[in-house]
Each structure stands twice: as structure tokens, then as C-alpha cells.
Amino acid sequence: MSSFYDIIGYPFGYLMSWIYDLVNNYGAAIILFTLVTKLIFFPINYHTQKNSARMQLLNPKLEKLKKSYKDNPTKLQEEQQKLYQQEGLNPMGSCLPSIVQMILLFGVLDVVYKPLTHILHFSKSVRNAALEIASGMVEDGIKSSDLRNELRIMEQLNNDPDKFSGVGENFKELVQQFSENFTFLGANLGQTPTFHPDSWTSEAVILLLIPFIAGLAQLVQTVYTQVHQKRTNPNAQSMGCMNVMLYLMPVLSVWFAFQVPAGVGFYWAWSSIFSFLITLGLNIYFTPKRIAAVNEKEKEKAKKKAAKHPERKSFMQKMMEQQQLLEQQQNGGASAGNNGDGKISRSEMNKYNRDVIKEARKRMAEKYGDVYDENNDNDEE
């Protein structure tokens, strides 16, 4: 899992390094880095929001179909798929962009958690040597698999710099110099927030506030999203357990932000703030009038594409064909194995299954240009 983070994280690491060299302050670099990555993800957010708004337009028609075919689930599914095809809308269209965004977010987190790798560019051997020293300074140790181990190394170095004197590449000096800029409003983001600081300085107060700001920002975003969904789709079913989890997550974020260096909670706070602003902006942009115009434009685009490439099948067409093929196979199986009294003998069912497998092999051979030899299947029998 760590290598997965590394692969995705390095491109974002160069971005973060460039921003840090530009502003020479880690707190400011985190804010700019978060903003830039949100802008990079904006096309994905736009597509997801547009798809969601179009689905809301379709909800009345879907509800009408549910009432008309409430006693016939198969027919209901078929009519829903036809409706999606007519509207040029893929109900799963938001899934792939969301998955891509989630994968890229692993890279963003890797950059936030690993300043020694992505900003100071220390070699792996030096980082491992520093980790071994820092791990010996903590009661439970620090595992190499801990994604936040570099922030914890910095925290231990600030507590006792002399223990890191033997680490190469001027590790102690460069990390100390970096720590001076690892701040926000004078608070060291490498320190872990606590309710019991040695003294209540302005730094201690700022560090204490960061987890609560992170949780509050996430809560505001959650509440706004829930209110907007109820306003735009009042007939949507409420999922009690899911709603509880949505409101529980901000509380867990506050708790967790007290267990890690403040830089992590600082990133979460700004990430939630920018996400809320982007969501708010898109919801304001997608007025009923505008989304109706967008919907008509997308429908027309889908019609032209279908007319230009009639041989190409849409996602919904493929789903319908698969559903029909499955029903045909099930019906065929029932008729093939029926011995007149409604029962299917084992030998008859085995024969039918072999025939289905043969047909599947034949189709695969035709698809990939292979030679299908039916005698091989007969030998296996």
C-alpha cells in the first residue's frame, strides 16, 4: 500500500516542492497546494455535479415508472434502461470520475504526510536511519508503514535534535531549518495538538483550534450537502445509518486530528473549506433553467453520436442485451431440462451446461480470431 501511495504521490510532490520554493512557508504552501489540487479535480467535480443534477430532472419519470411497474421488476428495469438511453444518461457515469479522484487523493495525502521525501528530497536510506532513531524515542515505536512517520520524525527531532546528529545528508540541520518555516501564524505544524500544553502560548492555542476547525469545516460541508439534497430531491429515501455516519465523521476527524501532527489537520481543514466552496459554487451555477438546457444539449449530443456510429452500443444498450441474454439462457435451461413433469434431471442439466460452455468457447474463439475445435470439447466429455 505504501508503494501505491509513492507512485501516485511523486507527481504531486513536484508540485508541492515548487509551491514551497515559491512561498518558503509550509502553512502557506499547504493552502496553495490544496487549492491547486482542487482546481485539478474541478473537471471531475463538474461532471459529477452535472450528472447528479440531470438525474434529479429524471426522478419524476423514474418515480412514474416505479408506480406503473411496481409488480413487474423485470419490466421496470427494462423501461428504466430505455429511459436512460433516450435521455443519453448513464446512471453509473459518476462512478468512474469519483474512483479516479479517490485514487489521485492518495497521492495528495502522500505529499502532505511526507515532507522529508517530497520537499527536502532525502534519500530512502537517510529517512530509514532517522525513522529508526525516532522510533526508539517513542514508547510504542513508529512503524515504517505509518503514513505519517515523516511528520513524527520531525516532531521527535524538534524534541531532541542531538540524537539525529549522526544521520547523513545534513539531516538535522536541514530539518531544523525547514521546521522554522513549518508554521502557520507562528505555530509549528509538526507538533501534535494537545489539551495539556506546557504553557498556554499563542502557538498552543492555534494548535488546539486546528482539529476543531477541521471538524467544523467538514460538518458544514456535510450539513449543506444534506440540506441541498433534501431540497432538490424531497422524495429521496433517507438512509438512517448512512446519515449517522456522515455526521459522525466530523467528530472522528476532531479526535483523530489530536493524534497526529497539526499539519494533517491543517490540510483536512482547508480541503473541506475548498470542497464546500466548490460544491456551493456548482450548485449555484446549475440553476433549474441552466441544467434543463444542459440536459437537452446532452440528449441531442447522444442522438447525434448514435446516428453517426450506429454500430457502437451504449452502456445501457449493452446492459439490456446482457439482461436479455441471461433471461434467454435461464428460459432455455428450464425448457432444455424439463422432462414433462416440471423436474430437471441431473444428466439433462449437465448436457445443457456443456452446450452453453461450448457456445461460449465458440464465441470467444470467433472474437479473438482463434480456431475453435469442437472435438476437443467432445474429448473432455
Side-chain angles (χ1 to χ4, degrees):
M1 190 66 177
S2 179
S3 59
F4 176 72
Y5 275 84
D6 290 340
I7 293 171
I8 304 175
Y10 271 105
F12 289 104
Y14 287 112
L15 173 63
M16 180 62 171
S17 179
W18 178 79
I19 292 175
Y20 178 79
D21 290 340
L22 186 67
V23 298
N24 202 34
N25 177 272
Y26 188 77
I30 280 285
I31 297 173
L32 290 175
F33 175 75
T34 307
L35 175 60
V36 172
T37 53
K38 291 296 181 183
L39 292 177
I40 291 173
F41 295 152
F42 180 79
I44 297 176
N45 291 324
Y46 177 86
H47 177 83
T48 302
Q49 206 95 340
K50 181 183 72 174
N51 207 57
S52 177
R54 292 187 66 203
M55 282 295 296
Q56 290 168 8
L57 279 182
L58 209 59
N59 279 333
K61 295 181 180 179
L62 291 172
E63 290 297 325
K64 187 176 180 180
L65 288 177
K66 288 178 182 178
K67 291 179 181 179
S68 300
Y69 302 102
K70 61 181 179 180
D71 298 325
N72 191 341
T74 302
K75 184 64 175 177
L76 172 61
Q77 185 179 16
E78 182 180 336
E79 291 300 320
Q80 285 176 333
Q81 291 173 354
K82 288 181 180 178
L83 179 60
Y84 289 136
Q85 185 177 341
Q86 292 170 0
E87 296 291 327
L89 181 62
N90 181 359
M92 306 297 290
S94 300
C95 293
L96 181 58
S98 298
I99 292 172
V100 171
Q101 183 175 16
M102 186 171 293
I103 292 173
L104 293 176
L105 278 174
F106 285 125
V108 174
L109 289 174
D110 189 72
V111 173
V112 173
Y113 290 156
K114 297 180 179 179
L116 302 183
T117 298
H118 297 295
I119 297 179
L120 296 180
H121 305 294
F122 286 116
S123 64
K124 185 175 181 179
S125 60
V126 167
R127 299 197 308 269
N128 287 340
L131 176 62
E132 186 176 351
I133 296 171
S135 182
M137 299 169 65
V138 179
E139 183 177 352
D140 296 329
I142 303 175
K143 296 180 180 179
S144 59
S145 58
D146 185 350
L147 295 174
R148 301 172 300 276
N149 63 52
E150 293 190 10
L151 292 172
R152 299 184 69 185
I153 290 171
M154 290 180 59
E155 186 176 26
Q156 295 307 314
L157 186 144
N158 289 328
N159 293 335
D160 192 350
D162 292 337
K163 289 192 175 182
F164 294 84
S165 298
V167 181
E169 298 182 11
N170 296 322
F171 184 83
K172 184 184 79 170
E173 292 77 10
L174 290 175
V175 173
Q176 284 181 314
Q177 182 181 354
F178 177 65
S179 295
E180 294 176 1
N181 298 320
F182 199 79
T183 60
F184 176 72
L185 298 178
N188 188 336
L189 297 177
Q191 298 295 321
T192 301
T194 177
F195 283 102
H196 306 287
D198 294 333
S199 60
W200 283 104
T201 61
S202 59
E203 178 184 44
V205 173
I206 292 173
L207 293 177
L208 179 68
L209 289 176
I210 286 176
F212 291 105
I213 294 173
L216 180 62
Q218 189 173 347
L219 179 62
V220 169
Q221 183 184 7
T222 299
V223 171
Y224 170 76
T225 302
Q226 292 292 299
V227 171
H228 179 76
Q229 286 180 349
K230 289 180 180 178
R231 187 172 66 238
T232 55
N233 189 16
N235 295 325
Q237 294 182 349
S238 176
M239 300 178 64
C241 294
M242 183 63 69
N243 288 338
V244 170
M245 284 301 299
L246 287 173
Y247 288 104
L248 183 61
M249 287 304 296
V251 178
L252 293 176
S253 295
V254 174
W255 174 82
F256 196 69
F258 275 103
Q259 316 301 315
V260 296
V264 177
F266 187 75
Y267 165 74
W268 289 345
W270 283 103
S271 180
S272 296
I273 290 170
F274 288 133
S275 293
F276 168 71
L277 293 175
I278 290 172
T279 302
L280 177 64
L282 286 174
N283 285 337
I284 293 174
Y285 174 78
F286 284 122
T287 60
K289 182 178 180 181
R290 179 173 279 119
I291 196 58
V294 169
N295 192 52
E296 289 301 319
K297 184 178 179 180
E298 292 294 329
K299 286 172 61 176
E300 192 63 29
K301 187 189 297 184
K303 289 179 182 178
K304 289 181 179 179
K305 185 176 180 180
K308 187 176 181 180
H309 303 284
E311 74 283 357
R312 292 184 184 178
K313 297 177 181 179
S314 67
F315 174 79
M316 298 311 301
Q317 286 176 314
K318 292 178 181 178
M319 283 189 62
M320 290 175 65
E321 289 181 0
Q322 288 294 328
Q323 181 69 22
Q324 291 172 356
L325 180 62
L326 181 61
E327 290 176 358
Q328 289 174 2
Q329 289 178 348
Q330 289 175 343
N331 294 334
S335 59
N338 199 319
N339 57 17
D341 58 1
K343 296 181 181 180
I344 302 173
S345 67
R346 179 177 296 180
S347 61
E348 288 172 330
M349 180 55 71
N350 289 339
K351 181 179 183 304
Y352 170 72
N353 289 335
R354 287 196 298 270
D355 290 340
V356 171
I357 293 172
K358 285 181 182 180
E359 182 64 25
R361 288 177 175 174
K362 185 177 181 180
R363 289 183 182 180
M364 291 295 290
E366 293 174 351
K367 180 177 180 180
Y368 294 104
D370 295 332
V371 177
Y372 172 69
D373 187 356
E374 190 172 348
N375 292 328
N376 290 337
D377 285 333
N378 294 333
D379 292 340
E380 290 177 5
E381 296 175 15

